[in-house]
Structures are given as C-alpha cells and as structure tokens.
Amino acid sequence: MDALFAHYPMLAQIPDIVPTLERKDPLALAAGTLLFTEGQPCQGFPLVVDGGIRVYKQTENGREIPLYRVQSGESCIVTTSCLINGSRYDARGITESLTHIHMLSVATFRSWLIYPAFRDYVLGLFAERMSDLMTLVEEIAFRRLDARLAAKLLGHGRIIHTTHAQLANELGSVREMVSRLLKGFESQGLIQLGREQIEIVNPAGLRAISS
C-alpha cells in the first residue's frame, strides 16, 4: 500500500480510499501475461505498483506496432478511453516483467472521477500519452527507418542485449528489414553484431545517421 501511494500520491486526496483498496489484493502477473487484447471489454483500471505493461497494435500478419509503456505511477490511455466511452479495447497490453497492479473496478474508476486530484491525473497523463502517440505516428510516417534504428541503439551503453526481432517490434517494422540495416551498420564499422547482443563501436557515426 505504501508503494502504491508513493507512485500515485493523488490517491491520498480520495476519501475512505484505504478500505476500498484493501478489499482486493494486488495482482501478481508473470512476464508475458496478456492483460488485455482487441475486442475485449474493459474490466478495470490498472494502477502499476512495479513492473511494466507494453501496449501495442498487432496486424493480421503478426507485425507489432508499439504504442507506449505503462510503468509505476502511470496510466493506460487505451484503458481510460474504454472506461470513459464504454467501448472495447482496440490494442493489446502485455507485461514485460513480473508486474504487480491494483485493478480498480469500472464503478470505482468512474466514481473517483468526481475528485479533482484523480480527474486531473487521468486527464493529464491522457494528454501526455496523446502527444507521445502523435510523435510516434510522425516518426513512422516521415522518418527513415535507418535513422530511427540508429537513434534506438544510442543511449543504452556500449553493449545492448536484444534481438533483431525485438528491435523490429520496438520500431514497428519487420525483422528482415532491421537485420539488413544492422548488417549495413556493421559493414560501415558502426556496430559489431553478436548473438542476441549489439556492440556500439562508433556512436558518433550512429548519431550522424539518426539526425
């Protein structure tokens, strides 16, 4: 409970909140748990205590387009939209690691919207997420994949532990195209490819491509 209030301090301004939260134990979800999927009705509003949820769209051919991540102290705008509109999910949410959440019921979520602190929190993060999604759309539509891939490789240290398929999912692309670009980076002396890892050899060169 202390961790929950630390990540979501606005909860302290909701009257009689502790008894409401104590009625249900937090859910412990293993990594890779599908929390929601397309067409599913919304069952509640998740408050993430630790861990994280990756929200993405999946096409008919299995290609994934990442939308955003929900971590401690954050909210899911897809869930928020479903709860407010009474609609069904149009994306998927999956846990990336062991994740503990408090799931607010639909009735509790809607009743708490009368409290300014909770309402401002929900709407504020909704606005931030929408801005992030607009940036994502612009990148996918207008920025070359090689520039996006180079930017993705930077800022994670000299050795990155990942696979070509994971990078493709992160970039909303396909593994074959990402593999081709990575091999091109390697031939230019920018990176060194290994088994499920990438060594950054020339970060300045990657920065030039990313810009």
Side-chain angles (χ1 to χ4, degrees), residues 92-132:
R92 298 185 179 193
I94 190 170
T95 56
E96 295 190 296
S97 60
L98 175 62
T99 301
H100 292 87
I101 65 172
H102 273 276
M103 184 69 78
L104 301 182
S105 69
V106 176
T108 297
F109 171 82
R110 290 175 176 167
S111 67
W112 283 5
L113 288 176
I114 68 172
Y115 301 112
F118 186 73
R119 184 174 62 247
D120 291 348
Y121 160 79
V122 171
L123 296 179
L125 277 181
F126 194 97
E128 289 180 20
R129 291 293 191 198
M130 286 301 297
S131 177
D132 293 341

Side-chain angles (χ1 to χ4, degrees), residues 171-183:
L171 295 169
S173 183
V174 294
R175 183 185 58 79
E176 292 79 9
M177 189 171 293
V178 168
S179 294
R180 193 179 308 124
L181 289 173
L182 288 172
K183 290 176 181 176

Side-chain angles (χ1 to χ4, degrees), residues 29-38 46 48 50-59 62-72 74-79 89-99 101 129 133 136 152 162-173:
L29 306 173
T33 300
L34 189 64
L35 192 59
F36 56 82
T37 189
E38 293 94 342
V48 180
D50 55 49
I53 304 166
R54 180 169 65 92
V55 181
Y56 64 98
K57 291 281 289 184
Q58 183 166 321
T59 63
R63 176 183 173 187
E64 294 182 2
I65 301 176
L67 299 178
Y68 55 87
R69 284 177 167 79
V70 184
Q71 298 178 321
S72 301
E74 299 178 340
S75 69
C76 175
I77 65 168
V78 171
T79 299
Y89 282 109
D90 57 2
R92 298 185 179 193
I94 190 170
T95 56
E96 295 190 296
S97 60
L98 175 62
T99 301
I101 65 172
R129 291 293 191 198
L133 288 177
L136 174 64
K152 187 69 179 176
T162 187
T163 66
H164 297 192
Q166 288 171 336
L167 284 172
N169 286 339
E170 291 286 339
L171 295 169
S173 183

